[in-house]
């Protein structure tokens, strides 16, 4: 776990930024989502759940790219420019060989909007650094806690348990049946995103 | 008495059918109470039966008879079980008690850890949003309980889906659902035959929270879709992270234990091999369970549990009667 390594690494300067409380963050997100509607924002979002479906075999999905970019930035000791991020991504090979500069910029911008990255102006470009938000650190501490015993997992109630491959197929067929009946879906999830494409 | 003890030891075999019938047919809140109670009762009576088997040869001992002032010859002539049966019972009872104590210690530690974690989370609000891209959401029991949601999870849900998610987690916290699952697991640690009931309680508390979320948003289909999409997104992001090397092999390990637990309450039909999430979604898409529909399952399980309790009580009563008779004969 790269993030955890970084959190534990004393050499890395802690850029703890005041993220405020979860409530405020959620409210902020909701207004942002409402403002942007289901435009560009929705396109990127829709890709995330599709990775497991095997539909995005050739193309790398947004979720994977985001975590790869975050991984590079968590490991870096100083803020990076998009060019440097791209270079490091190519070297670590964790994000595949050829990512265009503009793709990297898009991902960085999106992560910045999400509040996962902070940025500073450097000449004509920005340099990005991960925001080590308090909540994120706390959550990572918890996942470390969970690693140690299955009992802790039993005490926390997760919204959804892990799916097997069969479960995934079954869920997709159940969703298919349900979405025909009601169009006002309670989610901006996979089926909506696919419908738009 | 041998027959009554044998019955008490065999009743936990009904745990599987009982768990299946109640968890699928009885309304989740009642089902949770019933299944948790059933787990405690069946584990308790079977351990009690083992205890009687261990006691039987002991009360025949002359020194104990002198101590308790009863006639050992009368007790010895009553044909109580003993010998190897009692030795095996003693071993089983010892193992059960040891496992139960070990479970209590482990679970108490886990609860304390989680409580500490709940306190250490930033801010004082109930909801905490982490900047994690992986879709994840869970409730942390404590005083007060906290709800942790990742931005990855918020991304796959719209406003009403988020409301449903929060209502679901709040139901877990306010209903103190972790106590039900812990008590049922405790019973299962003492008697492994009761495990199907513990797995069923894990499932029914989720159903309970789902139905209370559905009551909050006023749309069961919406909750079903939110759960399905959240689960699909969680699986996708976890797979992506495993590929990117950002997360270790944590997920799969927990996953296996979760599905292994589920093995115990498999049924028939298209959902025969399904895990808890598709079952929850299917249950929400189907019409809500009415008390009337659950009545046969409820009545059947109460009869089974009543019979199990009666067997254990009669067996204990038999031994007690015998000893008081032997006691009276001395006088």
């Amino acid at each position: 776990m790269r993030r955890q390594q970084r959190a534990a690494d004393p050499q890395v300067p802690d850029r703890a930024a005041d993220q405020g409380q979860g409530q405020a963050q959620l409210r902020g997100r909701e207004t942002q989502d409402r403002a942007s509607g289901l435009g560009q924002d929705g396109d990127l979002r829709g890709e995330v759940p599709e990775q497991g479906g095997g539909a995005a075999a050739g193309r790398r999905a947004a979720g994977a790219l985001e975590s790869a970019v975050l991984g590079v930035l968590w490991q870096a000791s100083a803020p990076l420019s998009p060019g440097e991020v791209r270079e490091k991504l190519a070297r670590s090979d964790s994000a595949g060989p050829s990512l265009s500069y503009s793709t990297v910029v898009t991902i960085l911008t999106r992560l910045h909007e999400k509040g996962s990255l902070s940025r500073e102006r450097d000449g004509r470009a920005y340099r990005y650094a991960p925001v080590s938000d308090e909540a994120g650190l706390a959550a990572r501490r918890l996942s470390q806690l969970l690693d140690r015993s299955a009992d802790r997992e039993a005490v926390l109630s997760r919204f959804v348990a892990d799916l097997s491959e069969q479960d995934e197929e079954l869920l997709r067929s159940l969703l298919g049946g349900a979405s025909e009946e009601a169009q006002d879906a309670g989610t901006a999830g996979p089926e909506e995103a696919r419908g738009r494409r | 008495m041998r027959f009554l003890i044998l019955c008490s030891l065999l009743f936990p075999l009904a745990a599987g059918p009982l768990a299946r019938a109640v968890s699928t047919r009885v309304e989740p809140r009642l089902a949770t109470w019933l299944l948790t109670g059933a787990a405690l009762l069946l584990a308790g009576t079977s351990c009690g039966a083992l205890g009687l088997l261990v006691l039987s040869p002991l009360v025949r001992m002359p020194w104990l008879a002198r101590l308790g002032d009863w006639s050992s010859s009368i007790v010895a002539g009553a044909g109580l079980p003993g010998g190897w049966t009692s030795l095996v019972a003693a071993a089983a009872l010892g193992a059960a008690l040891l496992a139960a104590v070990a479970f209590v210690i482990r679970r108490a530690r886990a609860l304390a850890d989680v409580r500490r974690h709940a306190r250490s989370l930033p801010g004082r609000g109930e909801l905490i949003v982490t900047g994690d891209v992986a879709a994840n959401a869970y409730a942390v029991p404590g005083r007060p309980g906290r709800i942790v949601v990742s931005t990855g999870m918020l991304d796959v849900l719209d406003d009403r889906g988020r409301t449903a998610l929060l209502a679901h987690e709040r139901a877990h916290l306010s209903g103190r659902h972790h106590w039900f699952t812990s008590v049922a697991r405790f019973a299962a640690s003492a008697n492994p035959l009761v495990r199907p009931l513990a797995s069923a309680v894990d499932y029914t508390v989720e159903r309970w929270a789902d139905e209370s979320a559905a009551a909050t948003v006023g749309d069961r289909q919406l909750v079903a879709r939110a759960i399905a999409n959240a689960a699909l997104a969680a699986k996708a992001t976890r797979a992506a992270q495993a590929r990117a090397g950002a997360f270790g092999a944590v997920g799969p390990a927990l996953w296996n234990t979760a599905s292994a637990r589920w093995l115990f309450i498999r049924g028939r039909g298209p959902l025969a091999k399904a895990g808890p999430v598709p079952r929850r979604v299917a249950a929400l898409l189907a019409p809500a369970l009415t008390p009337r529909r659950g009545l046969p399952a409820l009545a059947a399980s109460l009869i089974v549990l009543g019979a199990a309790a009666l067997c254990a009580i009669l067996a204990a009563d038999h031994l007690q009667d015998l000893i008081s008779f032997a006691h009276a004969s001395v006088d």
Side-chain angles (χ1 to χ4, degrees):
Chain A
M1 283 190 185
R2 281 183 196 155
R3 289 159 164 217
Q4 288 185 0
Q5 276 169 11
R6 187 196 171 273
D9 189 355
Q11 285 183 323
V12 185
D14 201 21
R15 278 180 291 258
D18 188 12
Q19 276 287 299
Q21 288 188 8
Q23 285 280 12
Q25 229 173 316
L26 176 60
R27 230 173 285 130
R29 292 193 54 75
E30 278 173 346
T31 46
Q32 180 201 323
D33 282 357
R34 240 176 263 131
S36 63
L38 289 166
Q40 284 179 310
D41 199 25
D43 284 346
L44 258 174
R45 277 192 291 172
E47 282 186 33
V48 179
E50 234 183 48
Q51 295 148 33
R59 168 174 51 102
R60 294 188 61 82
L65 282 177
E66 281 181 2
S67 33
V69 166
L70 271 177
V72 162
L73 286 165
W74 280 113
Q75 280 189 323
S77 51
L80 300 179
S81 68
E84 286 165 342
V85 170
R86 185 177 166 232
E87 208 174 288
K88 280 183 192 269
L89 271 179
R91 212 181 304 147
S92 68
D93 199 32
S94 64
S98 56
L99 268 184
S100 74
Y101 184 82
S102 65
T103 310
V104 175
V105 170
T106 310
I107 296 165
L108 287 170
T109 314
R110 178 161 166 68
L111 284 171
H112 174 251
E113 279 168 7
K114 266 189 180 177
S116 307
L117 297 179
S118 65
R119 69 181 180 190
E120 50 188 70
R121 195 167 264 291
D122 179 27
R124 278 166 54 198
Y126 285 109
R127 299 184 82 85
Y128 292 85
V131 167
S132 73
D133 55 320
E134 262 189 291
L137 278 177
R140 278 187 282 284
R141 270 205 301 278
L142 182 72
S143 63
Q144 275 174 327
L145 204 80
L146 289 180
D147 293 358
R148 272 181 264 133
S149 128
D151 240 34
R152 290 182 183 85
E153 164 87 350
V155 169
L156 299 170
S157 359
R158 281 170 61 195
F159 183 46
V160 285
D162 299 295
L163 297 180
S164 68
E165 298 298 324
Q166 280 171 321
D167 285 355
E168 190 177 342
E169 278 172 39
L170 203 60
L171 268 188
R172 287 189 191 283
S173 64
L174 283 172
L175 267 183
S179 60
E180 281 166 23
E181 292 169 39
Q183 283 300 315
D184 58 329
T187 54
E191 88 268 56
E192 262 185 49
R194 221 173 296 131
R196 250 180 285 126
R197 218 162 272 139
Chain B
M1 183 171 159
R2 279 166 196 269
F3 175 73
L4 290 173
I5 288 179
L6 186 68
C7 279
S8 293
L9 289 176
L10 288 181
F11 263 114
L13 288 175
L18 198 73
R20 200 152 42 227
V22 174
S23 67
T24 52
R25 297 205 183 96
V26 178
E27 171 267 315
R29 186 189 147 94
L30 180 60
T32 306
W33 278 99
L34 184 63
L35 291 169
T36 310
L40 265 186
L41 182 90
L42 290 179
T45 52
S46 55
C47 283
L50 288 178
L52 289 178
L53 283 178
V54 176
L55 272 180
S56 296
L58 288 182
V59 294
R60 264 179 291 180
M61 302 266 182
W63 60 270
L64 197 68
R66 265 198 301 279
L67 205 71
D69 199 23
W70 66 70
S71 156
S72 63
S73 56
I74 288 186
V75 177
L80 290 177
W84 285 107
T85 325
S86 297
L87 275 180
V88 172
L93 186 64
L97 292 180
L98 217 62
V101 169
F103 173 85
V104 169
I105 292 171
R106 255 199 344 262
R107 188 51 64 99
R109 269 199 204 138
L111 270 173
D113 277 356
V114 166
R115 285 246 162 77
R116 206 174 314 125
H117 176 75
R119 275 199 300 275
S120 76
L121 286 169
R124 257 187 239 136
E126 182 191 39
L127 176 70
I128 289 129
V129 179
T130 68
D132 210 340
V133 285
N136 198 6
Y138 51 85
V140 188
R143 293 193 193 88
R146 315 294 288 272
I147 297 168
V148 179
V149 185
S150 71
T151 47
M153 179 62 86
L154 293 176
D155 280 350
V156 293
L157 300 172
D158 73 0
D159 281 355
R160 294 176 74 200
R162 289 172 191 179
T163 312
L165 161 66
L166 290 181
H168 173 102
E169 297 299 349
R170 267 190 207 121
H172 278 321
L173 292 178
S174 65
R176 308 223 159 259
H177 289 175
H178 62 286
W179 284 115
F180 290 98
T181 54
S182 292
V183 166
R185 283 278 152 214
F186 164 72
S189 71
N191 186 347
L193 289 175
V194 170
R195 266 185 214 167
L197 291 171
S199 306
V201 171
D202 286 347
Y203 172 72
T204 53
V205 294
E206 291 302 327
R207 289 276 306 117
W208 182 351
D210 287 347
E211 293 294 349
S212 106
T216 306
V217 295
D219 186 346
R220 299 176 79 236
Q221 290 218 345
L222 181 135
V223 179
R225 277 191 302 275
I227 293 168
N229 283 328
L232 290 173
K235 183 169 196 288
T237 46
R238 203 169 297 115
Q241 278 180 330
R243 255 181 279 140
F247 264 69
V250 190
L254 293 172
W255 205 339
N256 291 341
T257 56
S259 53
R261 272 184 219 153
W262 199 249
L263 271 177
F264 292 99
I265 77 164
R266 281 189 177 174
R268 276 159 295 183
L271 288 169
K273 289 183 177 176
V277 175
R279 278 168 194 268
R280 283 164 59 194
V281 171
L284 282 167
L285 291 176
L289 291 170
T290 55
R292 220 174 127 190
R293 246 196 94 199
L295 214 55
L298 187 68
S301 53
L302 284 179
I303 288 170
V304 170
L305 294 178
L310 197 67
C311 268
I313 289 169
L314 286 180
D317 203 39
H318 187 269
L319 188 65
Q320 209 207 341
D321 279 354
L322 180 66
I323 288 175
S324 33
F325 175 64
H327 188 69
S329 320
V330 169
D331 294 337

